[in-house]
Amino acid sequence: MPHGWSKRKQHQGLLTGKLHPHEDNPLGFDILANVTTRPAVVNVGGIIAFNSVIGKVAKIAIEAARHDVNSSPDVLPGTKLQISMLDSNYSGFLGIVEAMEFMEAETVAIIGPQSSVIAHVISYIANELQVPLLSFAATDPTLTSLQYPFFVRTTQSDLFQMAAIADIVDHYGWTEVIAVYIDDDYGRNGIVSLGDKLAEKRCRIAYKAALNPQPTREDIMDVLVNVFFSESRILVLHIYNTYGLEVLNVAKYLGMMESGFVWIATNWLSDILDAKVTLPVNASDDIQGLITLRMYTPDSKLKSNFVSRWSNLTREDGHGSFGLNTFGLYAYDSVWILARALDEYFRQGGNISFSKDIRLSEVQGGNLDLNAMSIFDGGQKLLDNILHINTTGITGQIQFDSDHNLIHPAYEIINVIGNGYRRIGYWSNYSGLSVKPPETFYSKPFNRSSSISQLYGVIWPGQTTDKPRGWVFPNNGRLLRIGVPNRVSYREFVAYSPDTDTFSGYCIDVFTAAIKLLPYAVPYKLIPFGDGHNNPSCTSLIEAMNRREYDAAIGDIAITTDRTRMADFTQPYIESGLVIVAPVRAVKSNAWAFMKPFTPMMWCVTAIFFLVVGAVVWVLEHRTNEEFRGPPRRQIVTILWFSFSTMFFAHKENTVSSLGRLVLIIWLFVVLIIQSSYTASLTSMLTVQQLTSPVKGIQSLMASNDPIGYQQGSFAQNYLMEEYHIPQSRLIPLNSADEYANALKRGPRGGGVAAVVDERAYIELFLATRCELTIVGQEFTKNGWGFAFPRNSPLAVDMSTAILKLSENGELQRIHDKWLMSSACSSQGSTLEVDRLELKSFWGLFLVCGIACLVALLIYFVLMVRQFIIHYPYEGELSGERSSMSSRFKMFLSFADEKEEDVLRRSKRRQLDKDSNAGSMSGGSSMMIGSRSSTLGMNSTRSVDINYEA
C-alpha cells in the first residue's frame, strides 16, 4: 500500500440544519455547511513511467498542480489532495498491479495511466469499481469508446493528429503514404484512424510497416529495408519517443534521409525537442527536414506564469534541468480538472464512501485479497462532474464534447531545421491548415475551404525546398513489366517481332515519346500478351495486370466503363468510337431524279400550302383588288396561277390590302427557304457520285436478323450484347482486315455479314484501299485509347501530363502521320446517298405561315362583319320588312362578293335619299297645318258673322 495513506474512514452524513441559498452555489447549498462534511484528505493515484521523457515532466507538473490546488482557497476548502504516484516502468503488468493497489485504498480517481496499452487494461478495473481515470498522455482514439465509460482523456486524441497529417498529405498533393508504427494498441489504432482520414481525402496507406513493441536495431533494419523498396516516399512515423530516434538513425544509415523522402513524425518528436533531453551523438543530423506535430496550447498569463516557474520546479525535484513539453501542461490541468470536479461533487452533497463488490466476494481461492477492493459509491456522479467541467487552464479552455474529447483540438506543424525547428503553420479541427493561430478563427463562421489552407515553406530532407514528388519506382532491381497486346491484324498500331523481341507501331511510339518526357527514369520491359494467332482481349490484359502479372498495359486499349473499374487510364492519345462498315453501290440517275430532294409528304404539304396561301390572298384581295375579281372561272384560274407563280416569284398580280401583303411577305420567305434547300439538295445529287447501302445505321442493324461482324478481342461484342441486346448468335468474330472484306463481300446470304462494327481508328485504316465499303450511320460511342496502370498509380497522372505535352508540341500528330497516314481511296469524293429533305426540317416555317394566314383571315372577317352591320340595316327599315335569318345570310354573302367601293357608293346614295325624303315630309306637314288654320279662321269668321246678324 502506498506510504502515507490512511485506512478507510467512516464519514458522517450532512449536518442537519437550515440550508441557505448562495449566489455562487448553483445547487443552493450553503458552502460553509458543506465544508464541515468534507474529508480532510482525498486520495488520488497516479500511474506514470518515471524514467520516460513524458513521465519526468508529468511527475513534476502533477506535484506542482497538487501544491497549487492545496494552496488555493477557492477549490476544495478544508480538503487536501493526496496524490501518490507509482512507476509503471513501461510495463503493462506493473500498471495493472499498481491500479489494483490503488483500488484497495480510498482512491476516488487515478491520474494516468501514461500508456494507451495500460489504459486499455486498467479501464476494465475502473469500470468495475467506478473510479475515473484521467489520462493526460493515452492518445489512442478507441479509448473514448462506450466500452470505457470511466476513462477520461484530458489531452488531445490521436484521431485529430491523424486528421492533421491527412490534411498535410492532401495539401501537398500526395496520394499514398507508408505508415511505420509500433505494433500495439497505441500504434495500430492510431494508424487505423490515419487510414480513415486519408480515405476522406481520396488518399490511402500504401504499405503498413509494423515494428515490434520493443524492437531491436535488427528488427528496425528489416522493416525499413522493405519500406525502402516500396514506391511511396511519404513516411508517417507513429512510435514511442523511446525508439523513435533509433528508427530515424537506421533510416539515415539506409539513405532514407536523402532528397525525395518525406518524414512526418507524430508528436513524440516534438515532446523530445521540447523536453530538451540530451540527444544521442549525431541525432540532430538524423531528424533534419522532418515534419512533426505538437499539441497547440494558446498563450495566456496562466501558461506564462507556469513556464516561468518550470526551471525552479525541476531544480527542486533534483533530477536535473529539462524542458517542459505539452504533456506536462495537460498533466498539470488534469489535477485541476479533478480538483474542481471534486469541489462540485462536495457542493452537491457527495461524500467519500465505498461498498463491497458482490462479484469479487464470490471469487474464492488463492492469496489475492480481492475483498479489499471496493466500489466508489460516488464514482458516477464524480465522472459526470468531470465531463461537464467548463473552465480555463494553462492549456486553454477545458471542456468536453459529446464524444468525451476536449473541444478545439489543434496542433502546431513544425519543420526541424539545424539545431532547432521552425513552425510552418497550424492545424485545427475548425479551420484546417493555416498560418494563423486557431483561436483567430473560432469567432468566425466554420470554413474548411482550400482558400485558407496554407503553410509556410518547408526545408525537406536533403536540404531542398522543392516539394518531393512523393514516390519513385521500387529500387529493387526489377524492371517495370508492361504487357502489350500481340496483335495479328492492324499491325500499324502494335507489331511484335519474335526474332528480335521488339515492338513497333503507333501505340509504341506514343508510349516511348511520353516516357522520355517524364522527369525521372523508368526502367521497363515490354512483354507480349497473346498467342500470336488471334487478337488478344484487352480486358483480359487488364485483368492480368490486376493479378500483378504486369505492372502496366499499353497498346490499342480502348477506355471503357468496365475497364476503368479495374485500372487507372491515362489521358486518351487518340479518339476512337464504334462505327459501322457496310458495302455500298453507286446510285444511278433517272428521269425522276428531280423528285428525290423532297419526300412525298414534303411535296404534298408544300403543294397544299401553295393552294392555301393563294386562296387566302384571294379572299383578302377580292373586295378591293380588281385583278382578283371577275367570273368564277377567271377567279379560279387567278388563284391557281397566283399560288404557283410565287414559287418563281413570277406573280404579276399586285396586292393592295395590308393583310394580303403581310401574308404574301411571309409566304415568299418560306418559298425562298424551300427553293434554296431544293436547289442545294438536287445539285448535290446530280453532281456528286451517290452511294447507297441497305444498312443505314445501328438502328437498322437492330431491326434486322442479319449477322454482324466484329474484331476478335474487341469490346464491341459485349457492348452490342449489353447495350443493344443483339443476340450473340448474330455476332461473328473476325480476325483480320482480309476477313472483314471477304465477309462483307459474301453478304448475309452468302455466309458473310451484313456489316462490321469496329473502332474508327481501325476502320479508317481498313477503308484506305477498299472503295466498295464505307462507314454508314453515325459513330455511336465516344471513347479513346489510353495506357492502363494499377489503381492509384502515380505514373498514370505523370503519363497523362506527358501525353498532353506531346499533343501541344505537335509530336503526337507527327507520330500519327508516320504510321496512319495512307493514300486515300479513289472514291473518297463519293458520299453516301443524301438523305431526302423531310417535313420535320420545315414544319416551323409552315407553322408560322399557317398562323399568319389564320390571323389575317380572322381580322378580315371581323372588319367585314362590322362593315356589314353598319351599312345593311338601312334597307330593312326602308322596306319595312323584317329580314329572316336565311335572307340575312344571303344578304351577307352578297355583301361579301360585292366590291367595297360599290358598297360605300350605295351607302352614300341611301343616306342622301333618306335625307331628301325627310325634307319633303317636313314641307307637306307645314302645308297641312296652314290649311287647317285657314279653315278654322273661316269658320270663326262665319261664326262671328252669324252672331252679328243675330
Side-chain angles (χ1 to χ4, degrees):
M1 183 177 295
H3 176 70
W5 285 34
S6 62
K7 295 292 183 181
R8 183 182 307 170
K9 297 182 179 180
Q10 298 295 331
H11 300 283
Q12 298 177 354
L14 291 172
L15 293 178
T16 59
K18 186 175 181 180
L19 299 177
H20 304 285
H22 194 278
E23 293 180 357
D24 297 331
N25 185 1
L27 297 179
F29 293 109
D30 186 77
I31 295 178
L32 294 177
N34 283 315
V35 167
T36 58
T37 64
R38 300 187 181 198
V41 175
V42 175
N43 294 326
V44 177
I47 301 176
I48 301 170
F50 288 168
N51 293 327
S52 66
V53 174
I54 297 175
K56 289 179 181 180
V57 175
K59 184 174 182 295
I60 297 176
I62 291 173
E63 287 291 349
R66 179 193 60 80
H67 178 271
D68 293 344
V69 167
N70 291 338
S71 302
S72 174
D74 299 326
V75 180
L76 293 177
T79 301
K80 300 296 183 182
L81 281 183
Q82 180 171 307
I83 303 178
S84 182
M85 289 179 281
L86 297 178
D87 183 9
S88 65
N89 196 23
Y90 305 103
S91 172
F93 176 73
L94 288 179
I96 298 172
V97 173
E98 290 164 359
M100 296 178 68
E101 288 185 10
F102 285 135
M103 299 306 178
E104 292 178 358
E106 296 177 343
T107 303
V108 298
I110 295 177
I111 305 295
Q114 176 183 323
S115 167
S116 296
V117 176
I118 300 176
H120 273 280
V121 180
I122 297 180
S123 293
Y124 290 104
I125 302 175
N127 292 346
E128 182 67 24
L129 303 181
Q130 299 187 12
V131 176
L133 299 177
L134 286 78
S135 178
F136 57 88
T139 56
D140 180 358
T142 61
L143 286 169
T144 52
S145 64
L146 299 177
Q147 185 179 6
Y148 309 112
F150 278 85
F151 176 86
V152 180
R153 191 195 334 271
T154 56
T155 187
Q156 300 297 346
S157 170
D158 276 342
L159 175 68
F160 304 110
Q161 181 170 210
M162 298 308 171
I165 293 175
D167 278 355
I168 293 172
V169 171
D170 181 63
H171 174 76
Y172 288 109
W174 301 317
T175 58
E176 292 184 349
V177 303
I178 294 177
V180 182
Y181 62 99
I182 206 74
D183 194 10
D184 62 6
D185 291 336
Y186 162 75
R188 284 192 302 270
N189 294 331
I191 295 304
V192 169
S193 298
L194 174 63
D196 293 341
K197 294 301 179 180
L198 286 173
E200 294 176 4
K201 304 294 181 180
R202 300 179 66 87
C203 304
R204 70 185 187 100
I205 299 176
Y207 178 64
K208 295 181 180 181
L211 288 168
N212 191 299
Q214 295 180 341
T216 63
R217 187 174 179 85
E218 289 72 19
D219 294 336
I220 297 173
M221 184 78 70
D222 293 340
V223 170
L224 291 187
V225 165
N226 292 331
V227 171
F228 182 78
F229 289 134
S230 301
E231 291 185 10
S232 178
R233 286 295 183 259
I234 313 300
L235 293 92
V236 177
L237 185 57
H238 185 50
I239 199 171
Y240 297 120
N241 48 37
T242 311
Y243 307 105
L245 295 177
E246 181 70 14
V247 172
L248 295 176
N249 181 258
V250 174
K252 177 78 172 179
Y253 174 79
L254 294 175
M256 300 175 67
M257 289 295 174
E258 304 299 328
S259 178
F261 283 88
V262 175
W263 286 84
I264 303 176
T266 51
N267 58 344
W268 63 266
L269 181 56
S270 62
D271 295 333
I272 294 177
L273 298 176
D274 291 339
K276 300 177 182 178
V277 298
T278 302
L279 298 178
V281 179
N282 299 326
S284 60
D285 295 337
D286 300 339
I287 60 177
Q288 294 300 306
L290 266 69
I291 292 178
T292 185
L293 284 80
R294 176 170 60 193
M295 287 181 286
Y296 174 72
T297 55
D299 294 332
S300 64
K301 186 176 181 180
L302 288 174
K303 179 181 175 181
S304 61
N305 290 339
F306 184 73
V307 172
S308 63
R309 295 169 52 195
W310 185 252
S311 58
N312 294 329
L313 292 174
T314 55
R315 275 198 306 270
E316 293 173 1
D317 183 70
H319 287 83
S321 178
F322 47 86
L324 172 65
N325 57 33
T326 53
F327 283 117
L329 301 178
Y330 282 106
Y332 181 88
D333 275 350
S334 298
V335 178
W336 275 95
I337 291 172
L338 177 60
R340 294 188 182 279
L342 283 169
D343 188 55
E344 184 63 27
Y345 174 75
F346 293 135
R347 287 174 183 266
Q348 296 168 350
N351 61 348
I352 307 299
S353 63
F354 297 83
S355 59
K356 295 293 184 180
D357 190 337
I358 299 176
R359 288 185 291 183
L360 288 178
S361 61
E362 295 175 354
V363 179
Q364 302 294 333
N367 296 322
L368 294 176
D369 187 12
L370 298 179
N371 290 326
M373 292 187 292
S374 303
I375 298 174
F376 176 33
D377 296 331
Q380 184 61 53
K381 184 179 293 186
L382 177 60
L383 175 65
D384 293 340
N385 288 339
I386 293 172
L387 296 176
H388 289 86
I389 198 77
N390 188 0
T391 186
T392 302
I394 60 176
T395 58
Q397 184 180 1
I398 301 174
Q399 188 177 352
F400 294 94
D401 60 19
S402 58
D403 294 327
H404 298 178
N405 291 313
L406 289 174
I407 63 172
H408 301 323
Y411 288 85
E412 297 176 75
I413 304 171
I414 296 170
N415 182 208
V416 181
I417 304 173
N419 294 324
Y421 54 82
R422 184 172 71 97
R423 182 174 57 227
I424 61 173
Y426 303 88
W427 179 91
S428 77
N429 197 39
Y430 190 79
S431 57
L433 297 176
S434 174
V435 295
K436 296 181 180 179
E439 61 268 18
T440 60
F441 296 97
Y442 294 151
S443 59
K444 300 178 181 179
F446 178 79
N447 185 8
R448 291 292 301 273
S449 65
S450 58
S451 59
I452 65 171
S453 177
Q454 53 184 326
L455 296 172
Y456 291 121
V458 178
I459 298 179
W460 305 99
Q463 299 297 312
T464 178
T465 57
D466 296 332
K467 188 198 78 172
R469 186 172 69 247
W471 68 276
V472 295
F473 285 101
N475 188 16
N476 52 15
R478 185 174 68 86
L479 299 177
L480 198 68
R481 293 169 51 86
I482 300 179
V484 185
N486 187 5
R487 293 198 57 86
V488 176
S489 60
Y490 301 112
R491 295 172 63 84
E492 291 86 351
F493 295 104
V494 176
Y496 173 63
S497 175
D499 298 335
T500 59
D501 193 25
T502 58
F503 287 85
S504 62
Y506 170 73
C507 301
I508 304 301
D509 281 6
V510 172
F511 174 76
T512 54
I515 282 288
K516 292 177 181 178
L517 292 180
L518 297 181
Y520 47 86
V522 180
Y524 66 90
K525 178 178 177 56
L526 301 181
I527 303 173
F529 176 79
D531 57 10
H533 301 290
N534 296 292
N535 289 326
S537 169
C538 291
T539 301
S540 300
L541 174 58
I542 295 175
E543 291 173 348
M545 183 186 68
N546 281 343
R547 295 192 299 268
R548 300 189 179 277
E549 296 177 15
Y550 303 99
D551 300 312
I554 68 169
D556 50 342
I557 304 175
I559 304 173
T560 64
T561 303
D562 292 338
R563 292 173 182 175
T564 55
R565 296 191 182 103
M566 298 184 288
D568 285 347
F569 282 87
T570 62
Q571 173 81 13
Y573 58 86
I574 186 173
E575 298 297 327
S576 181
L578 289 179
V579 294
I580 300 173
V581 176
V584 292
R585 58 180 178 83
V587 178
K588 296 181 180 180
S589 182
N590 56 43
W592 299 99
F594 69 91
M595 297 292 291
K596 288 185 177 180
F598 289 164
T599 62
M601 178 61 70
M602 181 66 184
W603 280 116
C604 293
V605 172
T606 303
I608 292 172
F609 260 82
F610 271 109
L611 295 176
V612 168
V613 171
V616 170
V617 172
W618 177 84
V619 171
L620 298 176
E621 296 289 325
H622 178 66
R623 301 185 67 236
T624 58
N625 194 338
E626 189 67 33
E627 295 182 359
F628 289 87
R629 299 185 62 80
R633 181 177 179 180
R634 178 187 173 187
Q635 294 185 44
I636 293 174
V637 172
T638 300
I639 292 173
L640 295 176
W641 165 253
F642 180 84
S643 299
F644 291 101
S645 63
T646 55
M647 179 186 299
F648 311 101
F649 305 98
H651 53 285
K652 64 180 182 179
E653 293 81 5
N654 294 321
T655 52
V656 297
S657 67
S658 299
L659 293 176
R661 290 175 177 176
L662 175 64
V663 171
L664 185 60
I665 288 174
I666 295 176
W667 173 242
L668 290 178
F669 176 74
V670 175
V671 170
L672 176 65
I673 300 300
I674 294 175
Q675 186 186 67
S676 301
S677 302
Y678 174 85
T679 304
S681 181
L682 183 61
T683 302
S684 175
M685 290 181 177
L686 297 179
T687 58
V688 180
Q689 182 182 6
Q690 302 297 309
L691 304 176
T692 184
S693 172
V695 179
K696 304 301 181 181
I698 187 64
Q699 298 299 330
S700 62
L701 281 180
M702 293 173 59
S704 69
N705 292 318
D706 295 334
I708 304 170
Y710 69 93
Q711 183 181 170
Q712 188 173 21
S714 171
F715 73 95
Q717 178 188 16
N718 290 335
Y719 185 83
L720 293 174
M721 292 171 58
E722 294 174 2
E723 298 296 328
Y724 293 99
H725 307 291
I726 296 177
Q728 186 174 3
S729 58
R730 290 182 57 194
L731 301 177
I732 309 300
L734 303 173
N735 209 34
S736 66
D738 291 338
E739 291 186 16
Y740 281 19
N742 293 333
L744 290 171
K745 183 178 181 180
R746 292 195 305 270
R749 296 183 180 180
V753 296
V756 171
V757 176
D758 205 351
E759 297 178 69
R760 179 176 287 275
Y762 301 123
I763 296 304
E764 289 177 349
L765 199 62
F766 169 71
L767 295 177
T769 58
R770 293 173 174 84
C771 303
E772 73 279 6
L773 305 172
T774 191
I775 297 175
V776 297
Q778 300 295 323
E779 185 176 329
F780 56 95
T781 64
K782 294 291 184 180
N783 51 28
W785 292 355
F787 304 136
F789 294 89
R791 299 301 298 269
N792 301 313
S793 173
L795 188 58
V797 178
D798 291 348
M799 285 292 288
S800 294
T801 304
I803 291 173
L804 289 175
K805 290 181 181 178
L806 290 176
S807 177
E808 292 171 357
N809 61 24
E811 181 67 13
L812 195 61
Q813 184 62 42
R814 188 194 66 78
I815 298 173
H816 179 276
D817 295 343
K818 172 186 174 182
W819 289 99
L820 307 181
M821 184 65 70
S822 57
S823 59
C825 174
S826 59
S827 65
Q828 289 296 315
S830 303
T831 62
L832 280 176
E833 186 178 6
V834 177
D835 291 335
R836 306 176 76 178
L837 298 176
E838 299 180 4
L839 178 62
K840 65 180 181 181
S841 301
F842 300 93
W843 71 268
L845 290 173
F846 287 127
L847 178 64
V848 172
C849 184
I851 292 175
C853 292
L854 290 176
V855 172
L857 289 175
L858 180 63
I859 295 174
Y860 176 79
F861 179 76
V862 171
L863 294 176
M864 189 171 62
V865 170
R866 178 175 176 272
Q867 193 178 41
F868 176 76
I869 294 174
I870 292 174
H871 295 293
Y872 264 72
Y874 296 103
E875 293 185 358
E877 292 178 5
L878 290 173
S879 62
E881 298 177 357
R882 193 172 186 86
S883 300
S884 64
M885 290 298 295
S886 60
S887 61
R888 187 76 170 167
F889 181 71
K890 293 179 181 179
M891 187 182 299
F892 176 77
L893 293 178
S894 176
F895 172 79
D897 187 56
E898 283 186 292
K899 193 173 182 180
E900 189 172 353
E901 294 179 359
D902 296 342
V903 174
L904 293 175
R905 190 182 305 112
R906 186 168 60 252
S907 178
K908 290 180 180 179
R909 186 171 62 251
R910 288 176 180 174
Q911 184 66 32
L912 291 175
D913 293 344
K914 180 180 179 180
D915 292 342
S916 61
N917 291 336
S920 61
M921 290 177 64
S922 176
S925 299
S926 300
M927 293 177 63
M928 290 176 64
I929 294 172
S931 177
R932 292 179 64 185
S933 300
S934 299
T935 304
L936 289 173
M938 293 176 63
N939 292 336
S940 300
T941 304
R942 290 177 62 188
S943 176
V944 170
D945 292 341
I946 292 172
N947 292 334
Y948 179 75
E949 291 177 356

